[in-house]
Amino acid sequence: WGKITSKTASGGRHCNIGKYHSSGAGNLGLFYFNYENSIPGWQLGVSKADTNQVFVSISIDPTEGTYYYIQFGYNASVPNIFMSINDGTPATAAYGSGTPVNDALNLVLGRAGDYDGMYLDGALDMVGFWNGRVLTTGEITSLYNGGAGLDYPF
């Protein structure tokens, strides 16, 4: 669950969850974008071992101060990355061969790792990680709980 307090802060780019280094290169980022002349929305970027990134985006103009259930991940069996908001239909992007980069960078909430900038002007609540499996549609719906949220285990 995450909310944006001010859509225009940080130059219009907020990092909700990041794993980036100060050089700007990184492994994973969940960002909210609201640049001038662009469609606002969330974007997930995941790095591949060949240094290319795969992106998936959902265009949404969120209400400031309202929490949104943002679910994202990597499905090795397809393989693809995916993201959904408020139990909606997932947006997906083909990942191709290889696995996501997982190096010694720290996974950081509310900013893009040790990269200076892109701080979240908002809040995160009820953050969960499932390692090694993709949640089922029923589990996602249960966690969303009609917008009220639900702690795991349900």
Side-chain angles (χ1 to χ4, degrees):
W1 289 87
K3 71 176 178 179
I4 302 297
T5 302
S6 171
K7 292 187 274 189
T8 58
S10 301
R13 185 174 179 182
H14 306 255
C15 186
N16 299 109
I17 297 173
K19 193 173 178 184
Y20 277 73
H21 14 144
S22 56
S23 67
N27 306 135
L28 173 124
L30 175 65
F31 296 93
Y32 169 74
F33 286 94
N34 188 34
Y35 289 124
E36 185 177 337
N37 301 320
S38 71
I39 299 170
W42 271 276
Q43 181 180 63
L44 172 66
V46 179
S47 293
K48 298 175 72 167
D50 63 7
T51 70
N52 290 320
Q53 278 197 313
V54 176
F55 296 96
V56 63
S57 300
I58 295 179
S59 297
I60 181 175
D61 191 10
T63 302
E64 292 177 343
T66 298
Y67 276 97
Y68 292 85
Y69 176 65
I70 306 165
Q71 194 264 338
F72 65 93
Y74 167 73
N75 187 341
S77 67
V78 174
N80 70 5
I81 61 171
F82 58 89
M83 176 175 53
S84 65
I85 297 178
N86 289 349
D87 197 26
T89 302
T92 63
Y95 197 80
S97 62
T99 57
V101 172
N102 185 16
D103 60 16
L105 293 173
N106 292 323
L107 182 67
V108 180
L109 304 178
R111 66 177 225 173
D114 70 357
Y115 186 80
D116 187 24
M118 293 184 285
Y119 294 95
L120 172 64
D121 187 359
L124 298 174
D125 188 15
M126 294 172 51
V127 175
F129 296 92
W130 280 261
N131 188 16
R133 74 179 190 95
V134 176
L135 297 178
T136 67
T137 303
E139 290 171 327
I140 293 167
T141 298
S142 292
L143 288 169
Y144 178 61
N145 195 27
L150 187 64
D151 288 328
Y152 181 85
F154 24 85

